[in-house]
Amino acid sequence: MRGETPSNILIYGKTGTGKTACVKYVTRELEKVSDRSPLKVKLVYINCEEVNTKYRILATLANTFLERLRRNSNELPDSVPMTGWPTDEVYKCFFRAMDSERQLAVIVLDEIDKLVLKSGDEVLYHLTRMNSDLMNSKVSIIGISNDLNFMNYLDPRVRSSLSEEELVFPPYNAVQLKEILEKRARISFMEGVIEDGVISLCAAHAAREHGDARRALDLLRVAGELAERDGDEKVTVEHVRRAHEKIEQDKMVEVIRTLPTQSKLVLYSIVVLSERMPRSIVSGEVYSVYRELCSQAGLDVLTQRRVGDLISELDMLGIISARIINKGRQGRTKEIKLNIHPTQAMAAIHDEQLMTIDTLKLSRQLTLV
Ligand SMILES: Nc1ncnc2c1ncn2[C@@H]1O[C@H](COP(=O)(O)OP(=O)(O)OP(=O)(O)O)[C@@H](O)[C@H]1O
Ligand SMILES: [Mg+2]
């Protein structure tokens, strides 16, 4: 607001440490204060998860500034289309629209790593050197990321310019999480419905998971939803325990969805077996079923050893628990237990390439296993 050239800021920290929330809050305050100052601060917030090409970033910026322009001030268009123009035309439009007023533009690029990974650093190159060409306005970039690897993909000049100032958001501790939860609980719950210990337990869970405030809030919300669904009058620690379980299960479903087809097929085999076997299942059985399913789905059959590796991976992901047991002269085998409900696992496995599988036909063969 004193008219000096502001620094660019790079903010990083693990997920749920309040980066987005804080930046939005502070920039909103800044905009408010600047209403009373001669130099207006104009905030542009872009989430690069959604807007992640050079063209779309520039078009969004151009349109933001064109919109605020008093018309007929010059020969600029009303707006820029979201596709189709030469990129340098879009840039020129943005540049001129912004520079036609004395103002400071604070451009927040949230999840900036997504932009760099998808489209490289060209647009950042332009944005970080605009200040030397602008006559009336100034620009400051705030980049936010929870993954610093993207820095390796930046031109050294962009890197140093982008991180003129760096800000690290450390994880919240349990006391801070408790404070955040208490404040939010006062808004979202009736007075007195949250039992003692509930908020502390949510905070403790989330503190253990790298101080993720989003996780803490999710836990409290899901605990509340479970209490409501059961028609209970109070949210108890038992609801929190169940909420924790539910969130863990949902996370697992997400992991299963993104598995490669071969791993899904191995899991498929385990699910089919555990649905039909009262006793625990062993890796040899999984392989027989897997082979059968492979031929039904028309996929290449992997070796038993490779399937063993995939089973270990599923174990590592927590989807199954595998335990090595010695069977004396018959050698060693793995005893496998599914950690997720079979129906839920099946729904998550859903895969185009596995549509041709006919489990009925399999049932007949299973009796032979
Ligand atoms: N200090 C705080 N006070 C109140 N609520 C907070 C605070 N910090 C975070 N939150 C809340 O916690 C949730 C997660 O925070 P936020 O979205 O800012 O995380 P983030 O660091 O941007 O995470 P990501 O890297 O995943 O984008 C949001 O609902 C936010 O409102
Ligand atoms: Mg964020």
Side-chain angles (χ1 to χ4, degrees), residues 13-21 111 146 172 180 184 213-214 217:
K14 290 217 167 91
T15 183
T17 50
K19 301 180 296 297
T20 302
E111 323 238 350
N146 56 28
Y172 288 118
I180 292 172
R184 203 67 77 88
R214 189 178 295 117
L217 290 166

Side-chain angles (χ1 to χ4, degrees), residues 17 52 90 95 97 102 106 123 163 175 193 199 209 218 265 313 353:
T17 50
N52 55 16
V90 183
F95 186 98
R102 207 173 106 72
V106 177
V123 68
S163 52
V175 178
V193 301
I199 286 186
E209 296 223 2
D218 278 348
L265 197 55
E313 265 173 46
Q353 293 187 67

Side-chain angles (χ1 to χ4, degrees), residues 28-60:
R28 219 164 29 229
E29 291 295 303
L30 185 63
E31 249 185 338
K32 255 193 252 165
V33 174
S34 84
D35 274 351
R36 285 176 264 126
S37 91
L39 183 69
K40 296 280 172 281
V41 174
K42 172 70 183 166
L43 170 74
V44 191
Y45 174 88
I46 297 179
N47 186 336
C48 303
E49 168 103 72
E50 289 145 29
V51 183
N52 55 16
T53 64
K54 183 183 175 194
Y55 187 99
R56 293 191 59 216
I57 296 267
L58 291 174
T60 306

